[in-house]
Amino acid sequence: MSTRIRVLIAKPGLDGHDRGAKVLARALRDAGMEVIYTGIRRTPEEIVEAAIQEDVDLIGLSILSGAHKKLCQKILNLLKEKGADIPVFLGGIIPEEDIPELKEMGIIEIFTPGASLKEIVEKVEDIAMERKV
């Protein structure tokens, strides 16, 4: 690809545990992507605004708080309202029974504990390349 993949990594809600998000941000950077990390405790509005301003290819959310359905739906709704066609992937403590509903609402990929950094990086690259073709 001639342009670098741009990914926004965000921690929505009140969850303050950011080690996984930082490790992922570094792995994506090491794979040649440009990563914008918003930090912890961001509102859906802040995340969507940053994604649009930074012209990212994907948004990655890290949620460990249990509020994943509500936060993801709010972010997806805001993206739609703003006319921003930016795919969103999710990582964190996500119960298996919630995955079908999250995918149905529009989350493009979900990574649960045990997913390797290699797997995540490859999937992010695949999603971005499909969209840039």
Side-chain angles (χ1 to χ4, degrees):
M1 253 190 311
S2 60
T3 59
R4 289 173 58 178
I5 298 168
R6 294 174 54 84
V7 182
L8 182 115
I9 300 294
K11 294 282 303 171
L14 299 177
D15 180 8
H17 298 89
D18 64 350
R19 181 172 295 173
K22 288 179 177 177
V23 168
L24 177 59
R26 177 164 293 179
L28 295 172
R29 251 186 226 124
D30 289 350
M33 297 179 212
E34 188 172 344
V35 179
I36 297 94
Y37 176 60
T38 64
I40 60 174
R41 299 185 182 104
R42 297 295 167 210
T43 67
E45 292 81 4
E46 289 172 323
I47 293 165
V48 169
E49 194 59 40
I52 292 168
Q53 286 180 1
E54 294 288 346
D55 193 27
V56 297
D57 298 302
L58 293 103
I59 298 171
L61 303 175
S62 171
I63 304 175
L64 305 172
S65 66
H68 47 275
K69 290 195 282 188
K70 183 175 182 177
L71 289 167
C72 287
Q73 189 64 70
K74 178 72 173 168
I75 289 166
L76 291 167
N77 288 345
L78 287 167
L79 287 167
K80 187 175 182 179
E81 286 173 19
K82 304 255 184 200
D85 183 23
I86 305 170
V88 178
F89 66 94
L90 172 64
I93 308 295
I94 312 300
E96 285 291 324
E97 60 269 17
D98 291 350
I99 291 175
E101 183 179 345
L102 290 161
K103 286 196 169 192
E104 187 176 306
M105 75 173 63
I107 299 298
I108 197 159
E109 191 64 55
I110 299 164
F111 301 99
T112 56
S116 72
L117 290 172
K118 181 179 187 286
E119 173 189 353
I120 298 168
V121 167
E122 288 174 354
K123 189 63 179 176
V124 168
E125 288 174 336
D126 289 347
I127 294 166
M129 290 176 80
E130 286 173 14
R131 296 182 56 79
K132 288 186 181 244
V133 171

